[in-house]
Amino acid sequence: MNQKEHKEKQAKQDLKDLQDHKQMVENIIYALRSINSELLPSNFPHARTEGGQRLIESSFSYLETHAEARNYLQTFGPFLRLYKYLKERYQTEVLDIDPESEK
């Protein structure tokens, strides 16, 4: 393989990697937005229902169990801060768990 073919192959792989990265970021944003929308005042009554809690918990589950999503959360500050904020709100406002009692 000559240098030009190698560069073309590398460029194709780089483009694929960027597309994968973009898709993962979109998946994380979608999960965080779905949790956030359930916790909005207008949707809050639904968040306290079984269906609302299932929706929120499935989004949290995706973020917590998908290895690549967990990596993004741990390395990109805005994702991590928003995740922690939403998790705390969910536990205190929907599940009525006192954060001090877990320590």
Side-chain angles (χ1 to χ4, degrees), residues 1-20:
M1 181 182 306
N2 65 33
Q3 191 172 0
K4 182 180 177 189
E5 289 172 336
H6 177 72
K7 285 182 178 181
E8 286 175 2
K9 185 177 179 182
Q10 186 62 50
K12 286 180 183 178
Q13 183 60 44
D14 289 346
L15 182 58
K16 183 187 179 312
D17 292 347
L18 287 172
Q19 289 170 333
D20 291 346

Side-chain angles (χ1 to χ4, degrees), residues 20-71:
D20 291 346
H21 171 77
K22 179 181 181 242
Q23 185 61 51
M24 178 53 62
V25 169
E26 287 174 354
N27 291 347
I28 293 170
I29 291 170
Y30 179 82
L32 291 170
R33 279 187 174 167
S34 67
I35 296 166
N36 188 56
S37 70
E38 282 295 311
L39 297 175
L40 291 173
S42 59
N43 292 339
F44 191 73
H46 182 261
R48 297 198 94 167
T49 67
E50 185 178 329
Q53 289 180 21
R54 243 191 342 264
L55 176 72
I56 292 170
E57 288 173 7
S58 71
S59 293
F60 276 129
S61 176
Y62 170 78
L63 295 169
E64 293 163 356
T65 60
H66 190 278
E68 203 170 355
R70 250 192 350 260
N71 265 352

Side-chain angles (χ1 to χ4, degrees), residues 88 90-99 101-102:
E88 182 178 317
Y90 175 63
Q91 290 175 335
T92 58
E93 297 175 20
V94 176
L95 300 179
D96 296 323
I97 296 172
D98 180 12
S101 69
E102 290 189 349

